[in-house]
């Protein structure tokens, strides 16, 4: 099966959706509290997923494909930047590098109406490694996927430039 641009976009959507599902599993089944940087990475994966899904369904011509690819590249670079920063924080932790208060503290210290927005933003220590897979932490794996998405977006840009108008 030839990897058309449409299939690449839809593949990115499926991978992003799977990564979001994995993140939700880690949060709700394994009770790993996401930090603020984790939440930002989730936003980037959601943006990448939505862009890829819309591009895959839309299947635009040259200009539209390039626009989707540039937006996907931007989301991947921004998410990858956050993941790289968090990976660095985990490799070289500092006592001052905490992203925010923990969930229990927020619920005990603030009324629910104030705590809910803070919970949505994430809590916990961004420099703490809570889970690993094949030796890589969550932000390290996020960085790998964002890099792959960025490479795919760059490939799409190159291929879209050679498409007929």
């Amino acid at each position: 099966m030839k990897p058309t641009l449409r299939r690449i976009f839809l593949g990115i959507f499926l991978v992003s959706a799977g990564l979001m599902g994995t993140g939700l599993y880690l949060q709700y089944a394994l009770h790993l509290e996401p930090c603020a940087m984790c939440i930002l990475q989730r936003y980037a994966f959601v943006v990448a997923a939505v862009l890829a899904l819309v591009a895959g369904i839309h299947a635009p011509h040259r200009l539209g494909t390039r626009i989707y690819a540039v937006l996907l590249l931007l989301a991947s670079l921004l998410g990858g930047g956050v993941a790289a920063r968090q990976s660095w924080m985990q490799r070289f932790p500092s006592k001052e590098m905490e992203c925010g208060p923990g969930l229990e503290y927020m619920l005990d210290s603030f009324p629910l109406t104030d705590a809910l927005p803070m919970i949505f933003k994430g809590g916990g220590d961004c420099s703490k490694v809570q889970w690993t897979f094949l030796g890589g932490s969550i932000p390290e794996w996020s960085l790998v996927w964002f890099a792959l998405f960025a490479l795919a977006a760059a490939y799409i840009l190159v291929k879209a430039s050679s498409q007929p108008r």
Side-chain angles (χ1 to χ4, degrees):
M1 188 178 334
K2 184 179 176 186
T4 64
L5 299 184
R6 184 178 213 175
R7 288 184 182 143
I8 293 170
F9 277 125
L10 292 174
I12 291 169
F13 164 73
L14 290 174
V15 170
S16 292
L19 292 169
M20 282 302 303
T22 301
L24 293 172
Y25 171 79
L26 292 172
Q27 181 178 355
Y28 293 107
L30 300 183
H31 307 289
L32 300 180
E33 184 178 357
C35 68
M37 294 178 100
C38 297
I39 298 295
L40 289 174
Q41 291 169 64
R42 285 185 185 184
Y43 287 150
F45 278 125
V46 168
V47 168
V50 170
L51 285 169
L53 178 63
V54 171
I57 292 171
H58 182 203
H61 292 291
R62 183 177 172 179
L63 178 62
T65 299
R66 291 169 75 184
I67 290 170
Y68 285 123
V70 166
L71 293 173
L72 178 62
L73 181 61
L74 286 173
S76 299
L77 292 175
L78 290 172
V82 173
R85 175 70 177 143
Q86 187 178 5
S87 297
W88 187 85
M89 289 170 65
Q90 288 182 346
R91 292 283 177 178
F92 307 103
S94 171
K95 292 185 183 199
E96 292 84 34
M97 289 188 171
E98 188 172 314
C99 293
L103 177 63
E104 186 176 326
Y105 172 80
M106 286 189 285
L107 291 174
D108 290 342
S109 302
F110 299 99
L112 188 59
T113 55
D114 292 338
L116 281 177
M118 287 188 271
I119 292 167
F120 185 67
K121 290 178 185 173
D125 185 355
C126 293
S127 63
K128 181 180 176 188
V129 177
Q130 298 184 59
W131 183 85
T132 61
F133 178 72
L134 298 175
S137 66
I138 296 169
E140 290 170 336
W141 280 108
S142 293
L143 180 57
V144 167
W145 284 108
F146 283 126
L148 290 173
F149 290 171
L151 288 173
Y155 173 80
I156 291 168
L157 276 171
V158 169
K159 291 303 261 183
S161 297
S162 65
Q163 281 183 341
R165 292 182 186 224

